Amino acid sequence: VQLQASGGGLVQAGGSLRLSCAPSVRPFSTYGMGWFRQSPGKEREFVARIDWRLGATRHADSVQGRFSISRDSANSTVYLQMNNLEPEDTAVYYCAAASTRTRYAYNNPDYWGKGTQVTVSS
């Protein structure tokens, strides 16, 4: 199963982008899905996640109030709405899926997408 992310691009600070991610095979059974990001010279970091059955979400402190993760269960698609973007949000964004509760809880997914570049200019 491949995860295919889209929606990245170049935006000015204060702008918005919406990322989408869907699996290559549907339906896709998952415990939860999420987004991670990696900036040059930095380690990959958790951004947001969503419990697929309950819809419960968690966001990193750095994006709380600006980013929002959501899902479309019928299409096995996860979204990341990013508002009020800052230059510090510039990174490659990866979507991921966890097949078990443990992997989900520990932000250790077993499926990864290839990533989509988000660049925020000041």
Side-chain angles (χ1 to χ4, degrees), residues 1-6 21-22 33-36 44 92-97 109-116:
V1 176
Q2 301 292 326
L3 298 179
Q4 298 165 333
S6 61
C21 177
M33 294 185 73
W35 294 92
F36 294 73
R44 186 167 55 196
V92 177
Y93 283 72
Y94 299 90
C95 70
D110 38 355
Y111 297 97
W112 291 90
K114 289 186 177 181
T116 183

Side-chain angles (χ1 to χ4, degrees), residues 25-107:
V25 176
R26 305 178 197 182
F28 176 60
S29 178
T30 179
Y31 188 90
M33 294 185 73
W35 294 92
F36 294 73
R37 68 186 182 185
Q38 187 168 21
S39 303
K42 295 185 178 180
E43 293 187 354
R44 186 167 55 196
E45 64 175 351
F46 164 77
V47 175
R49 72 187 190 201
I50 185 165
D51 180 306
W52 208 251
R53 182 175 66 89
L54 300 176
T57 63
R58 176 168 289 187
H59 298 78
D61 291 343
S62 59
V63 306
Q64 186 73 43
R66 300 187 298 120
F67 292 10
S68 179
I69 189 170
S70 62
R71 76 192 187 310
D72 177 353
S73 299
N75 293 303
S76 300
T77 301
V78 65
Y79 303 97
L80 185 67
Q81 178 66 43
M82 305 186 294
N83 298 326
N84 195 20
L85 282 159
E86 303 170 352
E88 293 74 21
D89 296 317
T90 295
V92 177
Y93 283 72
Y94 299 90
C95 70
S99 60
T100 68
R101 179 180 180 180
T102 299
R103 283 187 172 274
Y104 177 77
Y106 284 90
N107 289 333

